[in-house]
Amino acid sequence: MEFNFKKISGFTLLLLILFLNFFGTADLVEAAGKPKTLIERSISAEARIPIFQRVEVLEKADVDYTFLMTNYNGSREIIVEAGLKIEILSNTDWNLRLNNRNLNAQVLIRKAGQNNSDWQNLNSTTAKFSGDRGVEKLTFDLKFILDPAARAAVNNLELDLRHSINPVLY
């Protein structure tokens, strides 16, 4: 039997190509069938944002003797609707405290639109209100209770408003 080197080398080369082709594509098909696994990483970051709060009195009723005489109806009580407007800017929930340092008349306050039972005293105690973070414009009604025996007090009813705002931490 004679070996034809050209035939054997050609046949071997053909088998080698088929062998590599078969096993080479098997890995590719297997790799294509598998779901791709992505590299997953996670990081943890903590940012500490300082508390920022600002209170601005936008509008305050100018209560003087002329105002009282034009709004006087014979009662000891004079109610000024929307007599005080305040804007609060806060990045956390807040508690607002208001106090009037002018003691010539008793002044009561409530949020505009609340019931008559919701009046809070501004003179002897501190009126307390609360709200959520963000920008909030508050409107308050004021009630002045006059002392008819004190004419001098009627001439000086202007609000000497003091305020403080505190974050709600819990």
Side-chain angles (χ1 to χ4, degrees):
M1 191 165 157
E2 267 184 48
F3 288 106
N4 188 352
F5 186 70
K6 285 185 179 182
K7 277 186 175 181
I8 293 177
S9 64
F11 184 69
T12 308
L13 183 62
L14 181 64
L15 283 177
L16 183 65
I17 291 172
L18 286 174
F19 181 77
L20 290 175
N21 190 18
F22 176 73
F23 286 108
T25 56
D27 287 340
L28 293 175
V29 171
E30 186 180 329
K34 288 184 181 178
K36 294 182 181 178
T37 50
L38 301 175
I39 297 174
E40 293 183 19
R41 304 259 168 128
S42 65
I43 60 170
S44 176
E46 183 176 316
R48 294 182 186 225
I49 300 171
I51 294 173
F52 177 79
Q53 295 178 318
R54 184 182 73 201
V55 177
E56 183 179 348
V57 177
L58 299 175
E59 217 175 289
K60 185 168 56 167
D62 188 20
V63 180
D64 58 5
Y65 184 74
T66 308
F67 175 83
L68 292 176
M69 290 303 108
T70 56
N71 293 306
Y72 185 67
N73 61 2
S75 166
R76 282 187 55 213
E77 299 176 352
I78 295 178
I79 296 176
V80 181
E81 293 181 354
L84 179 64
K85 293 182 182 176
I86 294 177
E87 181 181 71
I88 297 176
L89 172 65
S90 177
N91 63 357
T92 183
D93 295 347
W94 49 267
N95 291 320
L96 175 69
R97 297 173 186 270
L98 297 172
N99 195 313
N100 182 26
R101 292 191 47 184
N102 185 350
L103 302 177
N104 288 323
Q106 184 178 0
V107 182
L108 303 174
I109 190 169
R110 71 175 179 196
K111 281 188 180 178
Q114 286 186 324
N115 297 337
N116 277 336
S117 62
D118 293 332
W119 289 105
Q120 296 184 51
N121 195 343
L122 268 182
N123 289 69
S124 60
T125 60
T126 301
K128 299 171 188 163
F129 302 96
S130 60
D132 298 327
R133 67 177 172 255
V135 178
E136 194 166 341
K137 291 184 181 181
L138 302 172
T139 305
F140 296 98
D141 297 336
L142 301 171
K143 181 194 286 188
F144 292 87
I145 300 176
L146 305 176
D147 183 6
R151 165 103 171 117
V154 174
N155 287 327
N156 186 13
L157 291 179
E158 184 176 351
L159 285 176
D160 186 9
L161 198 63
R162 300 290 185 247
H163 62 272
S164 67
I165 187 167
N166 300 312
V168 176
L169 298 176
Y170 302 104

